[in-house]
Amino acid sequence: MEKINSQKPDIFLHILLGYNAMKMFNISEEFFTSLGLKKMPAKFWEKSLITKPANRSVVCHASAWDFYNQADFRIKMCTVVNMEDLITVHHEMGHVQYYLQYKDLPVGFRRGANPGFHEAVGDVLALSASTPSHLKEIGLLDNADEDYEAQINYMLSMALDKIAFLPFGYLMDMWRWSVFTGETTPDKYNDKWWQLRRCLQGISEPLNRMKDPGDFDPGSKYHIPANTPYIRYFVSFVLQFQLHEALCNVAKQAGPLHKCDIYRSKEAGKKLGDMLKLGSSRPWPEALEQVANTRKLSASSLIKYFDPLIKWLREQNKGEAVGWDDEDGCPRPPNTSSATSFTIPSLFGFLTVCTIVSIYL
């Protein structure tokens, strides 16, 4: 296999530039305002928790909050100064921007067009904010390599975030739904969890986790004990690329989709803001149509974004068996029998699952 030497942009914000959590939030807000979208209100800065308190225990899972009084919107986050949390700040501030845009609607309409829309907004901007060219423009990179190796390396890092998530984002609610329907009984909770992870993700537990009925590995994921539906994240990981391509077209961005940066495009900002103002007052296909000129959710933009990487992977994997080919199509831990299952030949093949999203929506 061809070796890729270029490294992912490794940004030590606190060492190189003396950044802190507040600076990261300011960077995110500036991206929104560069598009002509709203500033965070004074109460947001006064009431939000953006670093871990030293004198008390808090749940550090990042979240955004609308107090439904048209004035109080907050983020709770134990921000760490690194690139991952910089993207998370954009994500959470995307929720707050949505709140600000639809705050004057009747309370019943102060929601996203569907839950996936709410999760996608900040991530749409993060697709631009994470590009090497944008990081260079705001002073977080000295140079943005344009060579082929650097581009492949960047897309590999993005795929580990966006593509590898898709099967997990899907199986979370497959598991929950099977529990709610009674198909999966309590004594099979762990069995079903690992069956889905083996079949959809191609990973298996390091030891047999089905022996002890007290084992409950799904509970290690925050959203399971919090009873938070998860298909919204799967939808958002498809939708964000569809919105990204549409806004890049509005911003008249030329070149590959993975290089697009809509920073400072007031035209793109207006298009996005007009959609956000709708809240849930119109059916989600109408909200999507307002930006993307289509009423159908599609993974075509996601595939277009990663097209150079897909071609590179196909070339590198020539002659290799892609996927997992145990006797039932799923890898299994030692000393366990096969389970009825199906094979997903590659992570990119998993994108075909997107065609069933309309059942949820």
Side-chain angles (χ1 to χ4, degrees), residues 140-161:
L140 291 179
L141 278 182
D142 290 332
N143 58 74
D145 291 334
E146 293 292 328
D147 64 87
Y148 179 70
E149 286 190 352
Q151 289 186 53
I152 292 297
N153 185 72
Y154 171 68
M155 280 187 285
L156 277 170
S157 69
M158 291 296 289
L160 287 171
D161 178 22

Side-chain angles (χ1 to χ4, degrees), residues 76-232:
K76 175 189 66 65
M77 180 174 173
C78 303
T79 312
V80 177
V81 182
N82 58 33
M83 186 63 189
E84 180 180 357
D85 272 18
L86 181 61
I87 299 304
T88 301
V89 171
H90 283 77
H91 174 87
E92 298 302 335
M93 199 168 281
H95 286 298
V96 177
Q97 184 65 219
Y98 218 154
Y99 301 152
L100 290 169
Q101 293 291 340
Y102 60 54
K103 68 182 178 64
D104 295 323
L105 291 174
V107 172
F109 294 139
R110 293 182 206 170
R111 295 176 297 174
N114 72 42
F117 275 69
H118 232 304
E119 299 300 334
V121 174
D123 287 350
V124 171
L125 271 62
L127 288 174
S128 291
S130 62
T131 59
S133 60
H134 180 80
L135 295 174
K136 179 183 178 182
E137 183 169 356
I138 63 175
L140 291 179
L141 278 182
D142 290 332
N143 58 74
D145 291 334
E146 293 292 328
D147 64 87
Y148 179 70
E149 286 190 352
Q151 289 186 53
I152 292 297
N153 185 72
Y154 171 68
M155 280 187 285
L156 277 170
S157 69
M158 291 296 289
L160 287 171
D161 178 22
K162 304 296 185 180
I163 299 296
F165 171 83
L166 288 171
F168 182 74
Y170 183 56
L171 73 84
M172 279 279 290
D173 270 5
M174 285 187 71
W175 183 88
R176 292 176 72 250
W177 296 335
S178 74
V179 169
F180 295 155
T181 63
E183 173 194 342
T184 299
T185 55
D187 62 313
K188 296 295 184 182
Y189 281 172
N190 231 35
D191 192 352
K192 181 68 173 182
W193 176 257
W194 282 108
Q195 179 194 6
L196 289 170
R197 297 202 72 182
R198 290 194 304 271
C199 294
L200 294 180
Q201 289 186 281
I203 61 175
S204 63
E205 57 275 46
L207 49 84
N208 189 350
R209 296 290 288 161
M210 275 70 92
K211 287 183 177 179
D212 186 347
D215 290 339
F216 185 61
D217 295 326
S220 64
K221 177 60 178 166
Y222 169 86
H223 299 74
I224 295 294
N227 194 31
T228 302
Y230 211 73
I231 198 69
R232 64 185 64 180

